[in-house]
Amino acid sequence: MGELEWLRTMGHLYQVQYMVLSGGLGSSAYVRDQFQQRFLAYQHPNASDQVAVIPCNDPQLVVVRGLLFDRQQRWESGGATSVLSTRIARTSCGVVVQEIYVPAMHSNEDVRPDPFEPSKKWAVNQIQWLIKKGDL
């Protein structure tokens, strides 16, 4: 709801009536329901009484199309204009993986032998960061 607070702080009188979900979680019924419940429970001066949370038909395709439109806009304007703004990641996001064991990198880490190649070892429970807090 930080965007609604930004509208209020900046003195904008816009009334948000729709929230469109796209991307990987855009098709999640759970995410849609949580946003809908949040809007019902949390009244805000810049949100109408009935904010409709709408999922896209192809949420991941919408992201790709947006990137293509941005690229087209920058190409047509000579790189001067982008339809996307730069955002700084507020949190880090990663996945747990296993990596080939390197003693210098994985000291005091959980290690397991490879079941198919006894000479190979794996460092387990390693995090491969997709994006780190503060990244653009």
Side-chain angles (χ1 to χ4, degrees):
M1 301 298 173
E3 286 76 12
L4 290 174
E5 274 305 305
W6 181 85
L7 286 173
R8 187 186 64 73
T9 302
M10 299 303 289
H12 294 291
L13 301 175
Y14 304 122
Q15 288 290 300
V16 174
Q17 296 177 334
Y18 303 98
M19 177 180 207
V20 179
L21 300 179
S22 64
L25 294 175
S27 59
S28 168
Y30 173 78
V31 170
R32 183 179 61 244
D33 291 344
Q34 290 299 309
F35 273 118
Q36 194 71 60
Q37 288 176 15
R38 182 75 184 262
F39 277 120
L40 289 173
Y42 177 70
Q43 297 298 315
H44 192 278
N46 291 90
S48 69
D49 293 337
Q50 294 291 331
V51 175
V53 180
I54 304 168
C56 293
N57 290 336
D58 292 314
Q60 292 178 342
L61 182 59
V62 169
V63 173
V64 173
R65 289 183 68 194
L67 292 171
L68 290 172
F69 284 136
D70 179 63
R71 177 65 68 165
Q72 178 184 8
Q73 178 79 21
R74 282 190 281 153
W75 183 71
E76 290 174 352
S77 68
T81 307
S82 174
V83 295
L84 300 176
S85 63
T86 302
R87 301 282 303 236
I88 297 174
R90 290 188 254 174
T91 61
S92 299
C93 182
V95 291
V96 177
V97 297
Q98 61 183 16
E99 298 175 339
I100 300 259
Y101 175 70
V102 177
M105 282 180 45
H106 302 111
S107 63
N108 299 321
E109 300 282 344
D110 293 335
V111 178
R112 71 165 184 82
D114 188 299
F116 302 105
E117 292 186 47
S119 63
K120 191 184 287 186
K121 294 181 182 177
W122 293 95
V124 296
N125 298 324
Q126 303 298 303
I127 298 177
Q128 181 177 358
W129 295 108
L130 303 173
I131 190 166
K132 289 186 178 180
K133 184 176 182 175
D135 286 352
L136 294 176

